[in-house]
């Protein structure tokens, strides 16, 4: 059966394209969604791509993906640095989660250096702009091939 990955995006990522382009680039979230879909198809994976500004919705989606998806790519945006609820949701599921960030959070403000996701994620990719998502698809595809 075809394996499925789901990409979950948190607050303000709907503004990509115009939001702080020096930090996040000019690629829109719709463009990233299209790139991910094409790349996932190339790996033989089905994909779903979502964005919300609401923390609880991200928690709901992580729980849902824990049952319905084989792998998760999570850019929790600012909730990365604040959300114990998301940490607990990722801990509660077996499905592997790759944490991604467009920017290199370690080269930015100190409050972005801590993530509540990293210690429960399968891996972390940050700093490559939209390519972070593509690298995460490659990482999940490799993990799922070995399963
Ligand atoms: C981000 C980094 C976070 O620190 C920030 O709050 C974001 C985006 C990134 O993709 O670089 O909204 O997750």
């Amino acid at each position: 059966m075809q394996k499925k990955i789901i990409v979950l995006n948190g607050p303000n990522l709907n503004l990509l394209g115009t939001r702080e382009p020096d930090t996040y680039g000019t690629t829109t979230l719709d463009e990233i969604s299209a790139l991910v879909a094409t790349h996932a198809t190339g790996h033989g994976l089905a994909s779903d791509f979502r964005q919300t500004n609401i923390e609880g919705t991200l928690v709901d989606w992580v729980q849902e993906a824990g049952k319905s998806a084989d792998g998760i790519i999570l850019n929790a945006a600012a909730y990365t640095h604040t959300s114990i609820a998301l940490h607990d949701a990722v801990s509660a599921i077996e499905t592997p989660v790759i944490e991604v960030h467009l920017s290199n959070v370690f080269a930015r403000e100190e409050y972005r250096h801590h993530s509540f996701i990293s210690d429960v994620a399968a891996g972390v990719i940050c700093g490559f702009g939209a390519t972070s998502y593509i690298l995460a698809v490659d990482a999940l595809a490799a993990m799922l091939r070995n399963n």
Side-chain angles (χ1 to χ4, degrees):
M1 210 177 74
Q2 189 181 34
K3 294 191 172 166
K4 180 178 169 183
I5 64 169
I6 184 159
V7 186
L8 303 179
N9 293 282
N12 301 306
L13 293 170
N14 54 311
L15 301 178
L16 287 179
T18 54
R19 175 191 181 201
E20 301 178 72
D22 288 350
T23 301
Y24 298 116
T26 52
T27 310
T28 66
L29 197 62
D30 280 350
E31 287 166 343
I32 293 175
S33 172
L35 287 170
V36 164
T38 305
H39 204 67
T41 303
H43 280 295
L45 298 168
S47 64
D48 187 5
F49 193 98
R50 303 181 190 177
Q51 188 275 332
T52 180
N53 291 326
I54 300 168
E55 182 179 9
T57 301
L58 273 180
V59 170
D60 284 344
W61 286 348
V62 168
Q63 290 184 12
E64 180 194 325
K67 294 183 205 131
S68 65
D70 299 290
I72 300 170
I73 295 170
L74 175 61
N75 184 350
Y79 293 138
T80 304
H81 316 299
T82 61
S83 180
I84 297 169
L86 266 178
H87 166 99
D88 287 351
V90 173
S91 288
I93 61 168
E94 300 279 321
T95 311
V97 173
I98 310 279
E99 176 183 348
V100 304
H101 301 284
L102 296 139
S103 62
N104 179 355
V105 287
F106 301 103
R108 300 183 62 195
E109 301 92 333
E110 195 150 342
Y111 58 81
R112 296 184 202 275
H113 296 182
H114 181 260
S115 164
F116 280 101
I117 312 295
S118 300
D119 64 327
V120 286
V124 182
I125 299 168
C126 76
F128 300 98
T131 304
S132 291
Y133 287 79
I134 299 299
L135 295 171
V137 174
D138 287 341
L140 269 186
M143 287 181 73
L144 296 176
R145 260 197 307 277
N146 295 332
N147 275 346

